[in-house]
Amino acid sequence: MDHRVNAIVCGSSLSMSGLAASLRTNPALDVVRIPADAAILAQELDRRHPSLIAFDLGELSGDLVFTLLRDHPGVILIGVDPSSDGMLMLSARQDQPISAADLVQFLTEG
């Protein structure tokens, strides 16, 4: 049986609808789209255990985003700004500690 990655697309904007449709074309992803509602999101988190949540930056509160990072550290959050087509990727995943030199290199080289 093939391993499929569970993903949630959260938001009601046309951009989020397009993102969900685009992601669904990838056979490795199992995508569900939901409104930006904390209660519905909590239900889907418990039911689906997603690896990825894409959300409209204008529709989820910052408090909810930080709660997601704290309570679900393995989930990658991708905030989408439909007004600028920009994305912000957030993760609470713990990697090996890096040195100050590594951090400077990351910041200067991208």
Side-chain angles (χ1 to χ4, degrees), residues 2 6 10 13 30 32 37 49-50 53 58 60 68 77 89:
D2 293 327
N6 287 326
C10 185
S13 69
D30 185 19
V32 66
D37 178 280
H49 305 287
I53 299 172
L60 283 189
L68 290 170
L77 303 177
M89 188 172 87

Side-chain angles (χ1 to χ4, degrees), residues 17-107:
S17 180
L19 176 61
S22 179
L23 292 174
R24 284 184 183 123
T25 65
N26 186 323
L29 298 176
D30 185 19
V31 179
V32 66
R33 182 168 176 240
I34 62 170
D37 178 280
I40 294 171
L41 181 56
Q43 289 174 338
E44 290 298 321
L45 281 164
D46 288 342
R47 192 169 73 87
R48 300 177 57 79
H49 305 287
S51 299
L52 166 73
I53 299 172
F55 63 95
D56 186 318
L57 283 168
E59 292 189 48
L60 283 189
S61 73
D63 288 342
L64 179 55
V65 171
F66 284 115
T67 299
L68 290 170
L69 285 170
R70 182 192 67 222
D71 295 347
H72 304 277
V75 177
I76 295 172
L77 303 177
I78 299 178
V80 177
D81 182 359
S83 66
S84 69
D85 290 332
M87 289 192 304
L88 174 66
M89 188 172 87
L90 305 166
S91 173
R93 186 179 72 198
Q94 298 284 327
D95 286 328
Q96 295 213 356
I98 60 173
S99 68
D102 291 336
L103 181 58
V104 169
Q105 181 180 359
F106 173 79
L107 292 172

